[in-house]
């Protein structure tokens, strides 16, 4: 149902008569309405709902007067009647028709109103008159057929509308989906075919009233047939479950293969383990080297650090020895000078005792001890001596250098391991090991279920085969026991008619199954096409086969609802797919000569579909809206416009704006929050468009007008 | 809807006609206007009419 024009008369925030003229001639007619917050976006959706069904969730006959524009109600005198209306010109069944719903109310006092009168009708043009009539409720029925009330929120939705209803699997939505396929009607035909068959059975019973054998066999046949039908229904269900389990098993296997393909996680784990072990060894080596260096330094008493002084010391000592300038010699001369002097170093005169002491000192202490000490020192400095200082020092120094080299290598190893370890850890973190584990578990469970179901199916098939054999035996016996004579012809005729009724029942049953299955497949295919390529997080759209409701699969888990825009995109993809398939179903049924009633293209009014949506999804939704439905009307607040302007601006067939008219005081309040009133200023095709206007004191406000934007 | 069409294609003319008549009786927009018994009678009649043509 495409809307050519929507007109509002003193309805909600829209005073006077205002119109939204909508293009319909293109394949994709996108209309963008720039509507700042609180200017009436939701009012448009409410107006449509009121037009279609005559009521709103928060509005009854007593409160319906509130639908009439505030300004009109305030200006009305007590006792007078005022009205507001919503009118739409629609393309319906190749016909253009204008429908209007009006709310009228009489003012009884300040804020006191009589119960409102609500009328609905199709425009009938009389020479001098415009009448709206729907005496048989035909057009109301048409509207309800085209847009089942439970699905209104799907086609004309606000904000984040479908999360709870559509994706949450609310029963009412499922019922509406069933009405898309006319499932109840198909079931009714199936039941009717069975009833007709039973009528023939009754006629057969009456015909063979006195033929007891025939009647007994007929009853047995009915009994066995009843069992067969029951068991077949059970088998059908089991087969469906088995099919699901096999599909799930194959899907999980495929997913596992995908995850396994090119996945080197296990190799990485081994590499990481090796690297960590190498790092641990290096750490231990470094610690051991540190300990050894400390021990060597501690026990050497600093000898290694004197090593460089050794050659110089050796040289000096050798020279001293060579030139006989020994410390002892120097001291002997000093002693001689002391002895030659009249007084000792202490100032007393020499006597025999002091001279003896000095001589003994010279002979023993200086000459012998000093020379021996020097000689020992020189010996200690000789490399050939195994206990020499230089040898010990060199040994300690070499050990320290070895330890240092080992430490250096270990530290290098440690550093070299860091980068590959970090890299592997990063890769492993991103690898689907956990997912593989979960999927493997699910695969095992699904495999068990599949095997169990296979067994049950085989068992049921065997049992049905047995029952059918019995049924055939009964039929053979029935053939023999059939009435003779004139009744035989009638009996044959009734049996044939009964068989045909059964054949029809089976055909309807199979058709219903085929229809649901195909509808599910096409819906899945279509939603996948729209959703999967835009879902940058790799999530996938899934349509439940039994309920036909959508969900999102992410990391092997099914979710009814996800944030960030996935659910919005999925909901859009779903409702657009659904409306297309519904149209195609009706067209094809018509080709078969079956009058399902024609369903036209669907129009979508979307109020703030970019709310709470990440930039990526906002753009994905904008891209989707621009080319996938014949009529889409999007209402956008300024913040969202900034996100999607580049997509919607060139794609829009028409740009409209909701201009907010308000009094000075209100404007002051708004300015206090937003000094430049930026929420009301849109960038459009490089120009600034202001959607706010101050009202003169004399006018009542606030209100909204619909303006074209060029 | 190819599989439904495949299924119907496999049917003989008599069954195809009967199928369309049965659905029209119960699914078409005017179906609700008829009573249950009238619809059953009509369906029974459609089955008997279809017997003029053989069905496999």
């Amino acid at each position: 149902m495409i809307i050519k024009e929507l007109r509002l008369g003193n309805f909600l925030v829209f005073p006077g008569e205002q119109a939204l003229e909508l293009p319909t001639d293109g394949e994709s007619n996108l209309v963008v309405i720039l509507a700042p917050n609180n200017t009436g976006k939701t009012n448009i959706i409410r107006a449509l709902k009121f037009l279609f069904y005559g009521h709103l969730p928060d509005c009854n006959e007593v409160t319906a007067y509130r639908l009439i524009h505030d300004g009109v109600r305030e200006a009305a005198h007590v006792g007078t009647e005022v009205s507001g209306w919503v009118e739409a010109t629609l393309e319906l069944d190749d016909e253009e028709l204008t429908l209007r719903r009006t709310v009228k109310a009489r003012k009884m006092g300040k804020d006191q109103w009589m119960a409102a009168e609500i009328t609905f009708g199709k425009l009938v043009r009389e020479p001098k008159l415009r009448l709206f009539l729907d005496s048989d409720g035909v057009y109301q029925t048409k509207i309800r057929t085209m847009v089942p009330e439970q699905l209104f929120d799907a086609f004309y939705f606000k904000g984040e509308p479908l999360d709870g209803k559509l994706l949450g699997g609310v029963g009412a939505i499922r019922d509406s989906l069933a009405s898309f396929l006319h499932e109840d009607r198909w079931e009714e035909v199936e039941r009717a075919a069975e009833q007709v068959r039973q009528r023939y059975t009754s006629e057969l019973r009456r015909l063979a009233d006195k033929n007891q054998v025939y009647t007994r066999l007929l009853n047995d046949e009915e009994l066995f047939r009843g069992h067969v039908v029951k068991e077949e229904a059970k088998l059908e269900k089991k087969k469906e479950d088995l099919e699901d389990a096999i599909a799930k098993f194959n899907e999980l296997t495929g997913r596992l293969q995908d995850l396994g393909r090119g996945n080197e996680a296990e190799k990485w784990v081994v590499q990481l383990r090796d690297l960590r072990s190498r790092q641990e060894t290096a750490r231990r080596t470094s610690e051991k080297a540190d300990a050894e260096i400390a021990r060597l330094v501690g026990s050497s008493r600093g000898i290694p650090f004197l090593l460089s002084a050794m050659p110089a010391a050796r040289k000096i000592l050798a020279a001293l020895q060579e030139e006989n300038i020994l410390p002892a010699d120097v001291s002997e001369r000093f002693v001689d000078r002391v002895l030659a002097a009249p007084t000792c170093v202490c100032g007393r005169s020499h006597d025999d005792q002091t001279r003896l002491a000095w001589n003994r000192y010279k002979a023993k202490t200086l000459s012998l001890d000093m020379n021996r000490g020097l000689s020992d020192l020189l010996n200690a400095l000789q490399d050939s001596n195994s206990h020499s200082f230089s040898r010990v020092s060199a040994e300690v120094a070499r050990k320290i250098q070895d330890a240092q080299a080992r430490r250096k290598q270990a530290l290098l190893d440690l550093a070299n391991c860091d980068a590959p370890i970090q890299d592997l850890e990063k890769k492993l973190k991103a690898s689907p090991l956990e997912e593989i584990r979960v999927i493997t578990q699910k695969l095992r469970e699904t495999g068990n279920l599949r095997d169990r179901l296979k067994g049950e199916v085989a068992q049921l098939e065997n049992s049905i085969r047995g029952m059918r054999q019995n049924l055939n035996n009964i039929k053979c016996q029935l053939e023999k026991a059939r009435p003779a004579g004139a009744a035989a012809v009638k009996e044959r005729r009734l049996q044939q008619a009964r068989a045909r009724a059964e054949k029809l029942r089976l055909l309807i049953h199979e058709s219903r199954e085929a229809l649901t299955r195909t509808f599910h497949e096409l819906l899945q295919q279509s939603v996948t096409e729209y959703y999967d390529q835009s879902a940058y997080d790799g999530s996938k759209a899934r349509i439940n086969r039994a309920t036909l409701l959508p969900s999102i699969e992410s990391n092997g888990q099914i979710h009814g609802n996800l944030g960030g825009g996935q659910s919005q995109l999925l909901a859009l993809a779903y409702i657009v797919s659904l409306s297309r398939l519904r149209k195609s179903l009706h067209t094809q049924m018509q080709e078969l000569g079956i009058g399902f009633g024609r369903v036209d293209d669907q129009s979508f009014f979307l109020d703030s579909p970019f709310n709470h949506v990440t930039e990526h999804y906002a753009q994905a939704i904008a891209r989707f809206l621009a080319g996938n439905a014949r009529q889409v009307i999007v209402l956008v607040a300024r913040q969202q416009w900034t996100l999607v302007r580049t997509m919607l601006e060139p794609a829009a067939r028409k740009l409209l704006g909701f201009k907010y008219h308000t009094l000075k005081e209100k404007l002051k309040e708004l300015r206090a929050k937003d000094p430049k009133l930026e929420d009301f200023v849109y960038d459009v095709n490089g120009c600034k468009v202001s959607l706010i206007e101050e009202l003169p004191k004399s006018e009542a406000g606030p209100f909204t007008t619909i303006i074209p934007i060029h | 809807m190819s599989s439904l069409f495949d299924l119907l294609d496999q049917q003989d003319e008599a069954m195809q006609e009967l199928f369309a008549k049965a659905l029209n009786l119960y699914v078409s927009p005017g179906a609700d206007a008829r009573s249950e018994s009238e619809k059953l009678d009509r369906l029974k009649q459609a089955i008997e009419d279809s017997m003029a043509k053989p069905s496999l």
Side-chain angles (χ1 to χ4, degrees):
Chain A
M1 186 172 67
I2 296 293
I3 302 174
K4 294 192 85 170
E5 189 178 14
L6 180 67
R7 297 174 68 227
L8 302 151
N10 290 326
F11 199 79
L12 292 168
V13 295
F14 304 98
E17 279 192 31
Q18 301 199 47
L20 277 172
E21 282 176 30
L22 304 168
T24 58
D25 52 336
E27 278 187 12
S28 173
N29 299 289
L30 176 67
V31 174
V32 177
I33 302 178
L34 308 177
N37 288 325
N38 303 316
T39 58
K41 287 197 297 292
T42 310
N43 281 201
I44 282 284
I45 308 285
R46 279 163 65 78
L48 275 171
K49 195 164 195 172
F50 178 72
L51 170 66
F52 289 175
Y53 314 111
H55 59 85
L56 291 169
D58 54 349
C59 175
N60 54 38
E61 271 189 7
V62 177
T63 57
Y65 71 90
R66 291 180 192 152
L67 297 173
I68 303 165
H69 180 61
D70 287 354
V72 173
R73 280 190 282 128
E74 277 161 29
H77 296 294
V78 173
T80 58
E81 192 177 70
V82 290
S83 66
W85 48 262
V86 189
E87 185 182 300
T89 300
L90 311 167
E91 259 184 28
L92 201 61
D93 289 344
D94 276 342
E95 183 189 358
E96 192 175 299
L97 76 157
T98 302
L99 301 170
R100 179 188 279 198
R101 197 174 300 267
T102 307
V103 51
K104 275 186 199 164
R106 189 176 296 278
K107 193 168 184 174
M108 302 305 291
K110 194 174 183 296
D111 283 336
Q112 284 186 318
W113 294 82
M114 289 279 281
E117 182 195 347
I118 295 168
T119 54
F120 175 76
K122 173 191 177 285
L123 173 66
V124 181
R125 290 179 199 276
E126 293 293 323
K128 288 186 179 177
L129 207 60
R130 289 177 95 225
L131 286 172
F132 289 89
L133 300 170
D134 188 19
S135 44
D136 299 328
V138 172
Y139 291 99
Q140 181 64 79
T141 307
K142 268 197 175 190
I143 290 283
R144 285 186 182 276
T145 309
M146 295 301 294
V147 187
E149 196 171 346
Q150 298 95 324
L151 284 182
F152 178 87
D153 289 344
F155 296 148
Y156 310 92
F157 70 81
K158 5 173 215 176
E160 317 86 73
L162 305 179
D163 297 2
K165 291 185 176 174
L166 194 57
L167 306 185
V170 168
I173 297 273
R174 172 69 189 103
D175 293 345
S176 293
L177 294 176
S179 77
F180 265 43
L181 296 172
H182 305 281
E183 280 179 354
D184 51 343
R185 298 300 178 105
W186 287 78
E187 282 167 18
E188 210 181 327
V189 188
E190 198 182 322
R191 274 197 307 276
E194 174 63 16
Q195 278 174 327
V196 172
R197 203 197 70 87
Q198 282 170 9
R199 278 191 184 186
Y200 288 127
T201 308
S202 303
E203 284 183 42
L204 279 171
R205 275 197 196 103
R206 277 198 299 275
L207 186 73
D209 188 25
K210 285 174 187 165
N211 185 341
Q212 285 181 358
V213 178
Y214 186 87
T215 310
R216 182 179 54 77
L217 286 168
L218 200 60
N219 289 342
D220 286 352
E221 189 200 14
E222 279 302 281
L223 196 68
F224 271 95
R225 182 185 165 276
H227 284 315
V228 170
V229 169
K230 214 167 146 188
E231 291 297 284
E232 275 179 345
K234 217 189 272 179
L235 177 66
E236 208 170 87
K237 175 78 182 63
K238 287 278 178 216
K239 276 185 171 170
E240 257 177 41
D241 291 347
L242 177 61
E243 216 175 289
D244 278 347
I246 291 171
K248 183 83 186 158
F249 188 85
N250 292 340
E251 193 185 325
L252 287 170
T253 309
R255 178 94 183 113
L256 210 54
Q257 278 168 353
D258 283 348
L259 288 171
R261 217 187 326 272
N263 170 38
E264 296 179 305
E266 285 183 29
K267 205 167 84 187
W268 294 338
V269 170
V270 174
Q271 284 176 0
L272 187 65
R273 200 174 50 215
D274 289 349
L275 276 167
R276 280 187 177 142
S277 144
R278 206 171 117 194
Q279 211 174 31
E280 188 50 38
T281 309
R283 193 173 289 114
R284 275 202 304 271
T285 306
S286 149
E287 282 169 6
K288 269 168 80 177
D290 282 347
E292 194 177 340
I293 291 168
R295 187 184 58 75
L296 285 166
V297 169
S299 62
S300 71
R301 298 189 190 93
I303 286 172
F305 309 103
L306 294 175
L307 204 57
S308 57
M310 287 295 176
R314 232 180 354 247
K315 211 169 157 185
I316 292 167
L317 285 170
L320 283 171
Q321 204 173 28
E322 183 73 24
E323 292 172 20
N324 205 23
I325 310 169
L326 299 170
D329 192 39
V330 174
S331 300
E332 274 174 13
R333 266 187 268 167
F334 171 71
V335 173
D336 287 346
R337 274 203 308 277
V338 170
L339 287 171
T343 55
C344 187
V345 286
C346 59
R348 284 188 297 160
S349 299
H350 281 296
D351 54 20
D352 291 344
Q353 206 174 353
T354 58
R355 282 191 188 94
L356 181 68
W358 277 103
N359 279 326
R360 194 167 54 233
Y361 171 74
K362 187 173 79 174
K364 196 170 181 184
T365 308
L366 292 182
S367 297
L368 289 176
D369 288 355
M370 286 300 283
N371 279 336
R372 194 173 56 243
L374 181 63
S375 178
D376 286 350
L377 183 61
L378 280 168
N379 275 339
L381 291 173
Q382 292 306 312
D383 288 345
S384 54
N385 187 334
S386 63
H387 299 295
S388 77
F389 286 122
S390 59
R391 178 170 283 270
V392 171
S393 301
E395 186 72 12
V396 172
R398 189 185 55 76
K399 283 182 181 169
I400 289 177
Q401 275 167 5
D402 283 354
Q404 268 179 330
R406 285 200 302 279
R407 183 176 185 275
K408 195 175 168 187
Q409 185 56 46
L411 290 177
L412 202 66
D413 272 0
L414 269 173
N416 285 344
C417 288
D418 273 350
I421 283 176
Q422 276 173 17
D423 185 42
L424 284 170
E425 280 175 343
K426 207 168 151 187
K427 280 184 190 167
L428 278 168
K429 206 172 174 185
S431 83
L433 272 185
E434 180 56 20
E435 198 181 342
I436 288 175
R437 195 190 62 73
V438 171
I439 291 178
T440 310
Q441 174 66 22
K442 276 187 186 168
L443 197 65
R444 201 173 300 126
E445 288 165 10
T446 315
N448 291 341
L449 177 68
R450 180 197 58 184
D451 296 343
R452 184 167 59 75
L453 286 168
K454 267 185 188 170
E456 287 175 9
V457 163
Q459 213 174 349
L460 270 170
E461 279 173 342
N462 267 338
S463 129
I464 290 169
R465 207 174 296 125
M467 279 193 268
R468 281 208 169 281
Q469 213 165 348
N470 285 337
L471 199 58
N472 284 339
N473 289 341
I474 292 170
K475 276 182 178 165
C476 288
Q477 291 173 38
L478 203 60
E479 185 68 22
K480 286 174 192 161
R482 57 194 285 257
V489 179
K490 199 173 178 192
E491 189 267 353
R492 176 65 63 196
R493 180 93 185 142
L494 283 171
Q495 282 287 16
Q496 280 172 356
R498 198 164 73 123
R500 193 153 290 196
E502 172 67 355
K503 200 169 177 181
L504 176 65
R505 185 191 70 82
L506 278 172
L507 181 58
I508 301 281
H509 182 81
E510 284 171 26
S511 300
R512 185 160 60 88
E513 296 292 320
L515 186 73
T516 315
R517 191 177 53 244
T518 319
F519 197 81
H520 169 258
E521 282 165 11
L522 291 175
L523 195 57
Q524 174 70 69
Q525 196 181 318
S526 174
V527 176
T528 294
E529 187 189 321
Y530 294 143
Y531 177 83
D532 290 14
Q533 61 183 1
S534 296
Y536 69 98
D537 59 354
S539 58
K540 295 186 186 312
R542 288 280 176 266
I543 307 295
N544 184 296
R545 200 165 71 162
T547 64
L548 292 179
L549 289 168
S551 56
I552 296 168
E553 189 188 315
S554 171
N555 294 327
Q557 302 286 327
I558 296 284
H559 306 273
N561 188 8
L562 287 181
Q566 288 114 320
S567 54
Q568 291 283 72
L569 182 63
L570 177 67
L572 278 169
Y574 182 74
I575 57 168
V576 169
S577 303
L578 205 59
S579 62
R580 280 188 174 181
L581 285 175
R582 183 191 184 209
K583 185 185 167 191
S584 149
L585 168 70
H586 279 241
T587 309
Q588 295 192 41
M589 284 297 166
Q590 269 189 326
E591 282 169 22
L592 282 173
I594 299 163
F596 265 34
R598 189 175 148 175
V599 172
D600 292 318
D601 288 324
Q602 180 62 48
S603 90
F604 302 95
F605 265 69
L606 313 176
D607 172 1
S608 314
F610 311 104
N611 255 2
H612 307 300
V613 166
T614 60
E615 190 176 345
H616 170 90
Y617 277 104
Q619 292 184 356
I621 291 169
R623 253 195 315 273
F624 176 80
L625 294 178
N628 286 305
R630 192 170 149 215
Q631 187 174 59
V632 179
I633 292 96
V634 195
L635 296 120
V636 197
R638 199 191 72 96
Q639 299 87 332
Q640 300 171 358
W641 177 245
T642 312
L643 281 180
V644 293
R645 186 170 69 88
T646 52
M647 304 273 174
L648 293 187
E649 219 171 52
R653 291 278 319 273
K654 195 167 192 176
L655 271 171
L656 297 166
F658 278 2
K659 192 158 202 165
Y660 189 58
H661 303 257
T662 188
L663 292 164
K664 200 173 182 178
E665 290 72 33
K666 178 75 180 166
L667 203 60
K668 262 188 194 171
E669 274 176 39
L670 290 169
R671 273 193 207 283
K673 288 181 200 159
D674 175 13
K676 291 183 181 170
L677 294 173
E678 280 182 353
D679 279 350
F680 295 87
V681 180
Y682 285 68
D683 280 320
V684 185
N685 294 320
C687 300
K688 300 269 183 203
V689 175
S690 172
L691 292 172
I692 190 158
E693 192 165 294
E694 188 183 327
L695 283 171
K697 266 186 184 173
S698 54
E699 284 201 43
F703 60 81
T704 297
T705 53
I706 302 165
I707 59 162
I709 292 175
H710 301 290
Chain B
M1 297 300 128
S2 60
S3 62
L4 170 63
F5 284 83
D6 289 347
L7 177 68
L8 295 178
D9 273 349
Q10 290 160 16
Q11 308 302 315
D12 51 53
E13 205 183 324
M15 282 315 290
Q16 283 181 11
E17 270 180 28
L18 182 56
F19 175 83
K21 274 186 185 174
L23 276 176
N24 274 323
L25 260 175
Y26 284 86
V27 184
S28 64
D32 289 338
R34 293 196 179 100
S35 70
E36 282 306 305
S37 61
E38 188 192 345
K39 281 193 274 193
L40 272 181
D41 288 342
R42 281 175 179 256
L43 182 61
K44 193 163 175 272
Q45 190 56 51
I47 288 170
E48 280 159 26
D49 292 347
S50 86
M51 284 168 65
K53 284 183 187 171
S55 178
L56 298 171

